[in-house]
Amino acid sequence: MLAGEDERLVARTTEAAQRAVIAPIPDELHPDVRAALERTGIAELYSHQADAWESVMRRGHTIVTTGTASGKSLCFNLPVLHMLCTAPRARALYLYPTKALAQDQARAMGKLGLPALRHAIYDGDTPKPERGAIRKRSNLVLTNPDMLHVGILPNHDGWGDFLSNLALVVVDEAHVYRGVFGSHVGNVLRRLRRMARAYGTEPRFVLASATIANPLELARELTGLDFGLVDRSGAPHSERELVMCNPPLLDPGTGRRASALSESAALFADLVASGTRTICFARSRKGAELIYRFASERLAGTPGPRAEIAPYRAGYTPEQRREIERRLAGGELSGVVATSALELGIDIGQLDAAISVTFPGTVASLRQQWGRAGRRDRSGLAIYVAGEDGLDQFFCRHPEEFLDRPVEAAILDHSSERIYMRHLLAAAYEAPLELGDRETLGNSFELYADRLVSAGELRKHGESYAPRGPGFPAARISLRSASTDSFTVIGAGDGEVLGFVEAERVFATAHPGAIYLHLGDSYEVEQLDTDARHVIVSEAQGDYYTQPKVVSETFIESAREQRSALGVQLSFGVVSVSEQVIAYQRKRLRDHGVIDTHSLDLPEQNFVTQALWYEFDERRFEDVPLNELLGALHASEHAQIAVLPLIAMCDRWDIGGLSINRHHQTGCPTIFLYDGHPGGVGITKRGYERFEQLVADARRLVAECPCESGCPSCVQSPKCGNLNESLSKAGAIGLMGEMLEAEPT
């Protein structure tokens, strides 16, 4: 099956099957719910479903974290449906990160045939004439954080009856809420708790998540509440074979490898042709389409009946996606090439094999994808095809670590100053801020409210705070952006809003001529309109990417924590970052060669964020030439940015860095790693806490790379502001090696 596996095969192992751990349906479950379960063929529960029932009904707030296809939905549906049948006036709210998940759950609810259940989806697609009836009649509303933030909470007076009877709030796929998005959602959920209290209720929260390292911390950060944990799954799964593949090395000097897309397309086509029902996960829409095209061409030459395959990605109409989901779940399709849109809990049935094309960013995501492989009556196959990125090649050199690697921690910071203050304004619009709001908004809300008074955005009457002047603060907050000032990215062809870019980052990521990445797809920036706050993009043509040349400086605002580690002075705190984009290069994707360079005339940008930095005693470099020192510092910085996602659930694009032989404040050689989003969301705080592991992983990444003097798999970075100039692979190995050998002081 694996052609040429003597060269491509990195490792293979077997994950043992797990038998179901069964528990009885609770005696106290409402008879109507019990009957509905029997109609759908459920006569008993898995142990974690019974544990979740016990936790929610007896103890209260609960987070359930188990693997893909383990039946997490029933963990929250049972207590919710029991409550709705037992208390006719009770209400429940379900939050999903995508509309597709809400649609999928709504279909499942409809099959139960419960007379007491009046469920409805309330999101941006809900026709306006139907919204009033949903608010008044529905006892279970399925929505998303965006609609809760901008449509429900600011208009709570129309939701009075719902909020005054709100008993349970379910947050599904909770691991998705991390970084900037999670920091915003943490504030939205606190605003929900505040408004529920205003209407006399204290709803219980139930969170469902993929397996992560810090479920209780995530639950508390998102809601401000203490939770019980259910994390031992009783669901069965078949034996699963895990296979790691690495495309062959084409040029040992530059580290260039064969295309992961073409390798994956061949594997996918061969599996489908052999009768193995397969899902192939690509990181981008363009990647999914290319794998589908390559596989279709390969299958066209295969004798016998043509296997039915399809691509699945964002950008299709909801009707198209539902049809693909239906055909996949019904067995009509032999295979599908998908983006991460199918990674989450949409019901597509059980498949035989899952292929992950390049590392999806986190071990948690990889496990979600691999969880699609294996029906209960036959073993499954899960394949990982590495790319040339540093993390992919790091894992190929350490397959045992990769296959056994624990999942990461989900990082967010609801108290990030920029994000928190904007949600305070939104909360004040919903109802004047009072001292009692400390219970939901935190003990420090008055400090920030006073600052908003000084800024002229709130006014204070006695001990309460109210908005100053007209306005709708929630409408000015994008849950995907950390900045109050952002640019809207618009497709040139259809005018579709693709996303938002913080003003502080727009010149680096969306300058004229830039290749802008959205959900992994490539667009070329046609126009940057600073007056209208618009970025106009079109689908990129050609096999290249762009890299800006940026002049950067950092200013240390405050050091919040400090310690000695690995022979350096390590600090964590707040820094100001100034950046000016002065040029950009176009580079070929296949070998990263420079096509051309274009100069730019753009203003300087500034933002404040969180950072870790560490200072070297400059006496250790007295005999080191300046260019060697700069190359060692710069390459070490790149390597540490590359491996920081191993510690925190983030992407390397969420992290910035600066290395300098003599910083104007520290007076010595210094390396900075900072959160790439204004205000910061706690990514580099995790790096500070686990600094020793960060440096150790970075040195291994560089030292074990077989290239001669540095390549994209070790010290080169696709986002380097200096265009990967002044990099010393040998210098980084030596520098970080000395740090790891240093005695702690």
Side-chain angles (χ1 to χ4, degrees):
M1 181 189 66
L2 297 173
E5 70 178 25
D6 56 326
E7 179 182 10
R8 294 168 172 82
L9 182 64
V10 175
R12 70 194 316 163
T13 188
T14 300
E15 190 175 80
Q18 176 175 300
R19 302 179 69 174
V21 181
I22 300 301
I25 293 175
D27 292 337
E28 61 267 42
L29 184 66
H30 193 281
D32 288 353
V33 183
R34 182 184 293 271
L37 293 181
E38 292 173 356
R39 285 195 298 272
T40 55
I42 299 174
E44 53 194 4
L45 302 181
Y46 298 135
S47 58
H48 64 283
Q49 295 168 339
D51 291 344
W53 164 271
E54 187 72 18
S55 179
V56 175
M57 301 301 290
R58 305 282 188 268
R59 293 188 293 274
H61 311 301
T62 300
I63 180 167
V64 180
T65 170
T66 56
T68 308
S70 58
K72 284 193 288 289
S73 294
L74 203 56
C75 291
F76 53 76
N77 281 339
L78 278 189
V80 167
L81 296 174
H82 171 80
M83 175 202 66
L84 296 181
C85 290
T86 305
R89 293 195 59 81
R91 300 291 185 266
L93 183 70
Y94 281 16
L95 292 176
Y96 292 92
T98 68
K99 294 177 182 177
L101 284 169
Q103 294 279 354
D104 190 59
Q105 183 65 243
R107 286 194 297 271
M109 287 289 192
K111 295 176 183 177
L112 294 175
L114 273 173
L117 178 61
R118 304 184 304 277
H119 66 289
I121 293 174
Y122 193 91
D123 60 24
D125 295 337
T126 305
K128 284 186 168 55
E130 298 177 13
R131 295 185 178 186
I134 291 173
R135 290 194 295 267
K136 294 176 183 176
R137 177 183 176 278
S138 297
N139 58 2
L140 172 57
V141 171
L142 301 92
T143 187
N144 52 62
D146 307 82
M147 193 63 172
L148 176 62
H149 157 64
V150 80
I152 296 176
L153 291 177
N155 302 297
H156 59 83
D157 51 346
W159 290 84
D161 182 64
F162 188 91
L163 289 170
S164 62
N165 292 283
L166 182 60
L168 269 167
V169 176
V170 171
V171 182
D172 200 10
E173 306 292 352
H175 61 282
V176 171
Y177 303 118
R178 59 183 190 264
V180 169
F181 187 30
S183 301
H184 277 295
V185 172
N187 282 284
V188 173
L189 294 179
R190 284 166 172 78
R191 285 165 47 203
L192 171 62
R193 287 180 53 215
R194 176 175 180 259
M195 292 316 303
R197 291 186 99 206
Y199 283 89
T201 57
E202 297 271 1
R204 295 183 185 184
F205 280 76
V206 183
L207 276 57
S209 169
T211 306
I212 55 172
N214 61 336
L216 291 174
E217 178 188 358
L218 173 66
R220 181 163 184 79
E221 280 292 312
L222 281 173
T223 65
L225 299 166
D226 292 323
F227 276 69
L229 174 64
V230 175
D231 62 351
R232 286 195 288 186
S233 175
H237 65 73
S238 61
E239 181 180 85
R240 188 179 296 133
E241 186 177 14
L242 309 180
V243 178
M244 293 181 68
C245 297
N246 201 9
L249 186 64
L250 302 180
D251 187 336
T254 64
R256 185 163 67 92
R257 293 185 172 273
S259 166
L261 297 182
S262 59
E263 292 286 312
S264 302
L267 277 171
F268 175 69
D270 291 349
L271 285 167
V272 168
S274 70
T276 305
R277 298 189 67 232
T278 305
I279 184 169
C280 181
F281 287 101
R283 288 201 72 181
S284 71
R285 286 190 265 185
K286 180 177 285 186
E289 294 287 0
L290 286 172
I291 292 173
Y292 170 72
R293 191 177 81 194
F294 297 156
S296 296
E297 293 170 355
R298 189 177 179 97
L299 287 168
T302 303
R306 176 97 178 254
E308 285 289 322
I309 63 173
Y312 182 102
R313 61 172 176 79
Y316 293 163
T317 66
E319 292 74 23
Q320 289 172 322
R321 292 200 297 271
R322 298 298 88 75
E323 176 64 11
I324 295 170
E325 292 163 15
R326 184 194 65 76
R327 295 178 66 204
L328 192 60
E332 297 176 31
L333 289 175
S334 300
V336 64
V337 187
T339 59
S340 59
L342 274 182
E343 177 186 312
L344 300 177
I346 297 173
D347 183 10
I348 55 171
Q350 295 288 312
L351 302 171
D352 301 316
I355 303 173
S356 299
V357 185
T358 74
F359 186 56
T362 66
V363 174
S365 290
L366 186 75
R367 295 288 173 183
Q368 285 281 97
Q369 294 178 3
W370 282 1
R372 292 291 190 185
R375 306 185 216 183
R376 287 176 187 152
D377 58 347
R378 60 184 293 185
S379 61
L381 173 65
I383 302 175
Y384 161 64
V385 181
E388 65 176 2
D389 181 80
L391 278 186
D392 286 78
Q393 294 307 308
F394 179 85
F395 288 140
C396 284
R397 291 192 292 273
H398 298 282
E400 70 290 341
E401 281 195 20
F402 176 68
L403 293 170
D404 298 330
R405 192 172 193 91
V407 293
E408 307 87 347
I411 305 301
L412 64 102
D413 182 8
H414 81 277
S415 62
S416 176
E417 185 174 309
R418 287 194 172 209
I419 293 173
Y420 180 68
M421 289 178 70
R422 293 160 65 201
H423 283 277
L424 272 187
L425 280 176
Y429 176 90
E430 291 151 11
L433 304 176
E434 308 280 355
L435 293 181
D437 291 328
R438 292 172 180 165
E439 292 291 323
T440 52
L441 300 180
N443 291 328
S444 60
F445 94 85
E446 293 164 88
L447 170 66
Y448 291 103
D450 286 334
R451 289 173 60 178
L452 288 168
V453 171
S454 300
E457 297 190 75
L458 288 180
R459 51 192 172 87
K460 188 173 184 181
H461 288 294
E463 294 185 335
S464 69
Y465 301 83
R468 183 182 292 277
F472 184 41
R476 300 194 296 269
I477 305 172
S478 166
L479 299 190
R480 270 75 176 176
S481 169
S483 176
T484 54
D485 183 12
S486 60
F487 284 63
T488 306
V489 182
I490 301 171
D494 53 12
E496 178 189 3
V497 175
L498 298 176
F500 301 89
V501 181
E502 292 100 338
E504 293 88 345
R505 294 158 50 113
V506 72
F507 294 140
T509 59
H511 58 76
I515 297 298
Y516 171 78
L517 295 176
H518 173 67
L519 297 177
D521 285 318
S522 300
Y523 298 85
E524 182 176 359
V525 176
E526 293 185 0
Q527 181 185 357
L528 172 60
D529 188 332
T530 55
D531 293 327
R533 280 343 207 203
H534 286 167
V535 178
I536 309 299
V537 300
S538 58
E539 190 170 336
Q541 306 297 321
D543 191 25
Y544 70 93
Y545 65 97
T546 56
Q547 196 164 359
K549 184 171 179 61
V550 185
V551 177
S552 301
E553 289 186 6
T554 56
F555 182 85
I556 300 170
E557 299 285 351
S558 64
R560 295 177 177 173
E561 297 182 40
Q562 290 184 316
R563 64 186 175 96
S564 294
L566 303 181
V568 299
Q569 179 66 30
L570 175 65
S571 302
F572 171 78
V574 177
V575 300
S576 298
V577 179
S578 65
E579 297 178 342
Q580 185 174 22
V581 181
I582 60 174
Y584 73 95
Q585 286 183 341
R586 296 196 304 163
K587 292 185 173 182
R588 291 186 295 270
L589 279 171
R590 67 178 183 274
D591 62 1
H592 308 283
V594 177
I595 300 172
D596 51 29
T597 302
H598 300 263
S599 61
L600 293 168
D601 183 18
L602 298 171
E604 183 179 276
Q605 297 288 285
N606 297 276
F607 65 96
V608 177
T609 188
Q610 298 173 0
L612 72 82
W613 64 94
Y614 55 99
E615 308 162 32
F616 295 91
D617 185 340
E618 60 182 345
R619 291 173 294 182
R620 69 193 291 179
F621 304 118
E622 286 177 349
D623 299 325
V624 179
L626 179 60
N627 63 324
E628 290 183 21
L629 172 59
L630 290 172
L633 294 170
H634 193 192
S636 299
E637 170 213 323
H638 279 191
Q640 289 161 26
I641 289 174
V643 299
L644 185 49
L646 294 176
I647 296 172
M649 290 177 81
C650 69
D651 190 276
R652 72 191 300 170
W653 297 90
D654 295 325
I655 316 158
L658 179 70
S659 49
I660 188 168
N661 65 303
R662 186 179 179 84
H663 189 260
H664 65 281
Q665 286 174 287
T666 66
C668 60
T670 308
I671 292 179
F672 291 84
L673 303 183
Y674 55 83
D675 284 31
H677 298 280
V681 291
I683 295 171
T684 51
K685 178 64 183 299
R686 183 71 56 160
Y688 171 84
E689 293 168 347
R690 300 177 66 178
F691 181 68
E692 291 81 0
Q693 179 188 342
L694 178 70
V695 176
D697 283 347
R699 187 187 183 279
R700 290 170 67 196
L701 170 74
V702 180
E704 296 169 352
C705 185
C707 72
E708 295 173 2
S709 57
C711 70
S713 294
C714 57
V715 299
Q716 292 180 14
S717 168
K719 55 168 294 190
C720 175
N722 288 322
L723 303 176
N724 287 309
E725 297 169 357
S726 301
L727 289 171
S728 172
K729 177 181 177 179
I733 294 170
L735 180 62
M736 290 188 286
E738 288 181 16
M739 292 174 65
L740 293 167
E741 293 170 2
E743 289 293 328
T745 56

